[in-house]
Amino acid sequence: MEKISAIASLSQLNRQLGYKLLVIVAMALAFAYGLVPLYDVLCRVTGLNGKTENVAVSAQSRVDATRWVEVSFTSNVMPGLAWSFHPVQSSIRVHPGKIETVTFIARNMANETVAGQAVPSVSPGKASEYFKKIECFCFQRQDLKAGESREMPLRFYVSPDIPDDVKALTLSYAFYSAIK
Amino acid sequence: MSYSTTVDHEEHHDHPSGMLRWLTTTNHKDIGTMYLTFSLIMFMVGGAMIMAVRAELFQPGLQLMHPEFYNQLIGVHALVMIFAALMPAATGFANWMLPLQIGAPDMALPRLNNWGFWLLPPAAILLTLPFTLALFGIGDGAIATGWTFYAPLSVQGGIGVDFAIFAVHLLGISSVMGSINIIVTIFNMRAPGMTLMKLPLFAWGWLITAFLLIATIPVLAGAVTMLLTDRHFGTHFFDAAGGGDPILFQHLFWFFGHPEVYILLLPVWGFIPQILSTFARKPIYGYKAQVYSLCAIGVLSVVVWAHHFFTAGMPVPALLYFMYSTMAISLPLAVLFYCWIATIWRGSMTFETPMLFAIGWIILFGIGGLTGLVLADVAADAQYHHTYFVVAHFHYTLFAGGIMGIMAGVYYWLPKMTGHMYNEKLGKLHFWLTAISFNLTFIPQFFLGLAGMPRRIPDYALQFSEFNMISSIAAFTLGLTQLLFVYNIVSCVRGGKKATDKVWEGSNGLEWTLPSPPPYHTFNEQPVIR
Ligand code: HEM
Ligand SMILES: [Cu+2]
């Protein structure tokens, strides 16, 4: 009799510990989903991954005419989007603080209207927070009719606060078919 | 230490027989046997897949298969070997031996245990079914992303990816169940007097593995679930167009993936010292140092994950951190190596098959660890990443360090489990053929990798021909050799010389105080450890 109740209480203990361990499992799952915003914040704060703020900033007037920074442009069209897309000029030399405008050309080669979304990224990553966009086609999705081609301007400046050792940076655009 | 053991006489409960017995059993020995059998079958299945791959790589050019099918084979091979061969083998040993080693009548949560096993066969079917479906024109085959599921490829892939995601869910639930069971068993079911610092090292290894599993498997489950919703339900966790980030997937995957490589090995690091001590007829050297090292490796393994994608782009401080933390793991690992060698140092050694495997294991796993250090060097990894050097590295750790360790365990405990001695001559032949053909398969791959041959590509430049041919021939030998292993196990289960209770002259530990094979129920009266 005593043995039976001992076994019963042991199996109860076992179950209790099992549930406690299940809490760790639940926490680990929550942690996985928690990593998504955490990672995003971390990237933005550190400029890791070349993520740039995808919002317009207002112009500022301080121009550092003593320095040059070479800004190059590259373009990619991701699978699933039948567009051609490229910058008109592949690079430009700028004074930090001076506002420049460059143009990209996109052409829809499909025979229906297609929406695309451009995603920018800057390398080296540490330069990304100093690359300021005033106006960009990447701020909203672009609808192109069948066969339509469009010239798309980008107005930007490189912040004068950019570290001295950054003499060149690359802005890369990837055009995706826009999420419906 | 002296053990007082009471073994109940075989009790004749009316448990069902035939298939129903195996479906409904909650007996730890039955479940252990099922895990081990399943593991052996899947080991052969995964091996057959990679034989086809090596046949394609025998010569440059594409001879036997389309690149898509090649990619499916390598991905499913890895998933099968990791999740359906290596992990179940370790769990099988845990089921069989942990209760015997700690003097418990059974696992703590027997019904959970039954579920844990029976989730595995459906998972294996899910993984491999897309191959068959493709033959009937449904879908385009199994997952073709490699075992790492990297986005965006896995977001774009066919139904094979969905099948693999569900398989990973099942495998994950199964591992979590098994782990919870093991932790509860070790914490609550030890024989009176067996304190934590008297636990057999195998139990320690498994305890840490189990904690790593319950902390990291949910992260993998979360990652593949995000993948699933990205594919079908309009989320964009990994889709840059929608504001997501494909690199995030790599972080999530390797947050699980790196601890996983230690999950696969910690149980082996646990029982190898027991084997070494048995055949060197000396006690285990540095028990405490080993326990602390195992714990240190468990903790460190969760903070080094990004060394798998140094080349994906990271700020320099992050590169440095992940490089140094990775290299730091080799310190406790070196302590373990030291203890293993000290355990056999000046012992009166004999070289039965388990000992051969254990000693071969120390050397070959050592090569795996050293080449890992090379890869952890950020500057060097830029050249070696995604080449055959990495393939060779992780086969020295996983095939030598994992599978060959498991083989040592099989030969060590098989007489205890079956009550018969296996064929020693055949066992030794199996060892030598395995060790030699394993090295001939993978040493050339180190050089291929150094010379720049990329992994996961079915074709290669002409200058790599000879080494690939050598590697393929050795791989076929390695594959065929495993038939000896299967044959030896099957005939040992069927019959053979009667094994004594102690089996090995130098064995010590609770499991060797029981008859071989142990009765269906053991330790209903728990032994008292003094
Ligand atoms: C001191 C020990 C170790 C170090 C420093 C180390 C380091 C590394 C590094 C840096 C990589 C990434 C290489 C690359 O992709 O460029 C790697 C890959 C890998 N390692 Fe290790 N490793 C060690 C031990 C282990 C062990 C014990 C295992 C398995 C049990 C293991 C399994 C793997 C696997 C499976 C991969 C390749 C994963 C893939 O890309 O598919 N390693 N290792
Ligand atoms: Cu790793």
Side-chain angles (χ1 to χ4, degrees):
Chain A
M1 204 51 222
E2 198 180 293
K3 190 176 170 190
I4 290 176
S5 72
I7 289 175
S9 73
L10 178 62
S11 72
Q12 208 173 4
L13 273 179
N14 288 348
R15 220 164 309 148
Q16 277 169 6
L17 182 53
Y19 286 129
K20 279 184 200 150
L21 293 169
L22 218 52
V23 174
I24 302 187
V25 175
M27 275 165 36
L29 193 62
F31 174 70
Y33 278 86
L35 272 179
V36 178
L38 203 71
Y39 174 77
D40 210 47
V41 169
L42 214 70
C43 286
R44 268 178 218 292
V45 172
T46 60
L48 215 122
N49 241 337
K51 268 194 190 172
T52 61
E53 291 293 333
N54 218 11
V55 289
V57 295
S58 48
Q60 54 97 53
S61 51
R62 188 160 57 91
V63 176
D64 182 353
T66 61
R67 290 167 58 198
W68 287 105
V69 173
E70 170 111 12
V71 180
S72 308
F73 306 100
T74 66
S75 60
N76 287 293
V77 181
M78 301 311 276
L81 186 66
W83 287 15
S84 77
F85 167 59
H86 54 87
V88 171
Q89 56 193 127
S90 63
S91 70
I92 178 175
R93 263 180 14 127
V94 300
H95 285 305
K98 178 134 192 304
I99 296 169
E100 301 282 353
T101 304
V102 292
T103 309
F104 286 71
I105 296 179
R107 198 172 117 85
N108 179 8
M109 291 175 312
N111 48 16
E112 55 181 349
T113 303
V114 176
Q117 170 70 53
V119 177
S121 127
V122 171
S123 78
K126 70 172 173 179
S128 59
E129 60 178 299
Y130 304 102
F131 189 85
K132 307 287 188 191
K133 295 191 278 302
I134 294 168
E135 187 192 331
C136 176
F137 53 90
C138 58
F139 292 162
Q140 64 265 333
R141 40 187 268 183
Q142 303 286 326
D143 290 289
L144 290 188
K145 295 197 192 61
E148 183 185 350
S149 85
R150 180 178 299 165
E151 291 194 358
M152 301 179 302
L154 162 69
R155 273 164 68 72
F156 72 94
Y157 66 91
V158 175
S159 161
D161 302 328
I162 191 165
D164 280 344
D165 60 331
V166 181
K167 304 221 166 4
L169 60 88
T170 302
L171 172 67
S172 158
Y173 278 109
F175 240 114
Y176 290 84
S177 121
I179 305 283
K180 273 134 221 140
Chain B
M1 222 188 284
S2 77
Y3 305 113
S4 76
T5 326
T6 339
V7 179
D8 280 20
H9 292 288
E10 179 85 48
E11 289 170 58
H12 292 282
H13 290 309
D14 36 6
H15 35 251
S17 56
M19 197 52 208
L20 206 58
R21 162 180 172 191
W22 298 105
L23 268 175
T24 59
T25 184
T26 55
N27 179 285
H28 73 101
K29 300 184 189 83
D30 281 354
I31 293 177
T33 304
M34 293 197 294
Y35 266 109
L36 289 170
T37 312
F38 175 79
S39 157
L40 185 61
I41 294 171
M42 295 315 287
F43 175 58
M44 298 312 281
V45 171
M49 288 175 190
I50 216 63
M51 290 299 110
V53 166
R54 277 318 317 176
E56 174 57 56
L57 291 174
F58 189 70
Q59 282 177 6
L62 295 179
Q63 281 89 25
L64 302 174
M65 56 187 78
H66 294 291
E68 294 80 10
F69 185 61
Y70 178 94
N71 286 346
Q72 295 169 21
L73 283 180
I74 55 161
V76 180
H77 157 76
L79 287 167
V80 163
M81 286 304 194
I82 291 171
F83 289 99
L86 207 41
M87 287 171 77
T91 317
F93 281 150
N95 267 292
W96 246 104
M97 291 303 156
L98 275 185
L100 301 187
Q101 288 194 334
I102 66 174
D106 203 315
M107 297 295 280
L109 304 160
R111 233 165 306 168
L112 194 71
N113 209 8
N114 173 290
W115 268 100
F117 174 77
W118 280 110
L119 287 177
L120 289 183
I125 291 170
L126 278 181
L127 260 184
T128 48
L129 192 64
F131 283 124
T132 323
L133 290 181
L135 293 181
F136 295 101
I138 307 171
D140 47 8
I143 184 169
T145 64
W147 78 287
T148 49
F149 289 89
Y150 276 9
L153 187 59
S154 54
V155 179
Q156 298 155 357
I159 60 164
V161 178
D162 299 316
F163 275 82
I165 288 173
F166 286 121
V168 163
H169 279 144
L170 291 187
L171 294 161
I173 295 171
S174 159
S175 308
V176 166
M177 286 178 165
S179 303
I180 289 181
N181 207 352
I182 284 166
I183 297 174
V184 177
T185 305
I186 294 179
F187 278 164
N188 287 2
M189 309 280 286
R190 299 190 308 272
M194 180 169 285
T195 59
L196 281 180
M197 284 320 264
K198 280 187 191 164
L199 271 185
L201 281 176
F202 178 52
W204 264 112
W206 244 115
L207 190 61
I208 298 161
T209 285
F211 271 111
L212 285 177
L213 274 169
I214 60 173
T216 61
I217 284 270
V219 177
L220 174 68
V224 295
T225 307
M226 292 175 205
L227 195 58
L228 190 73
T229 56
D230 267 16
R231 286 167 57 79
H232 299 294
F233 302 108
T235 60
H236 8 85
F237 289 104
F238 309 125
D239 185 352
D245 192 326
I247 305 285
L248 171 64
F249 183 84
Q250 304 191 12
H251 282 280
L252 288 172
F253 182 86
W254 288 111
F255 185 83
F256 148 82
H258 185 81
E260 168 71 9
V261 308
Y262 292 99
I263 286 165
L264 294 166
L265 287 201
L266 281 160
V268 179
W269 296 345
F271 66 72
I272 289 281
Q274 298 172 5
I275 297 180
L276 294 172
S277 134
T278 297
F279 295 98
R281 293 162 181 81
K282 277 178 60 195
I284 289 173
Y285 180 90
Y287 172 90
K288 268 194 194 158
Q290 294 197 45
V291 171
Y292 296 147
S293 299
L294 294 175
C295 293
I297 291 172
V299 172
L300 282 174
S301 74
V302 236
V303 297
V304 300
W305 70 92
H307 63 223
H308 288 276
F309 46 97
F310 282 143
T311 54
M314 252 178 265
V316 173
L319 289 174
L320 290 177
Y321 162 72
F322 282 110
M323 170 164 86
Y324 289 128
S325 58
T326 301
M327 291 181 169
I329 295 193
S330 47
L331 298 176
L333 204 52
V335 172
L336 289 178
F337 270 93
Y338 178 80
C339 293
W340 298 331
I341 295 169
T343 298
I344 54 175
W345 189 255
R346 301 189 136 188
S348 29
M349 282 189 271
T350 50
F351 298 93
E352 288 87 343
T353 310
M355 183 63 160
L356 285 179
F357 269 99
I359 289 182
W361 176 91
I362 296 181
I363 298 166
L364 297 178
F365 174 55
I367 297 177
L370 287 176
T371 50
L373 269 177
V374 175
L375 290 171
D377 184 317
V378 173
D381 186 61
Q383 183 188 345
Y384 306 149
H385 180 63
H386 221 264
T387 68
Y388 261 82
F389 190 91
V390 176
V391 175
H393 155 68
F394 69 70
H395 281 90
Y396 270 84
T397 54
L398 291 180
F399 187 93
I403 297 285
M404 285 177 70
I406 295 285
M407 286 171 174
V410 168
Y411 285 111
Y412 184 54
W413 280 318
L414 202 56
K416 174 54 66 188
M417 296 190 283
T418 62
H420 307 127
M421 296 308 289
Y422 58 85
N423 181 333
E424 188 66 56
K425 268 208 194 103
L426 216 54
K428 285 185 174 152
L429 183 68
H430 173 226
F431 168 76
W432 286 111
L433 283 176
T434 299
I436 293 169
S437 55
F438 167 77
N439 279 299
L440 287 177
T441 306
F442 290 105
I443 288 175
Q445 294 186 9
F446 278 126
F447 291 101
L448 286 169
L450 292 178
M453 178 168 160
R455 65 190 279 211
R456 291 178 173 163
I457 311 266
D459 191 4
Y460 48 82
L462 291 181
Q463 70 266 30
F464 301 138
S465 304
E466 284 81 4
F467 273 25
N468 269 294
M469 193 177 282
I470 297 172
S471 184
S472 282
I473 293 171
F476 300 145
T477 318
L478 184 59
L480 286 176
T481 300
Q482 303 321 311
L483 296 176
L484 290 181
F485 184 51
V486 177
Y487 173 79
N488 210 347
I489 293 177
V490 171
S491 42
C492 177
V493 171
R494 289 244 174 108
K497 212 182 98 208
K498 190 89 193 70
T500 60
D501 294 358
K502 213 161 178 274
V503 181
W504 313 110
E505 189 190 50
S507 54
N508 61 62
L510 277 183
E511 77 260 42
W512 308 104
T513 62
L514 295 165
S516 306
Y520 199 62
H521 296 285
T522 37
F523 294 134
N524 280 345
E525 290 300 334
Q526 289 201 298
V528 178
I529 315 294
R530 274 183 283 269

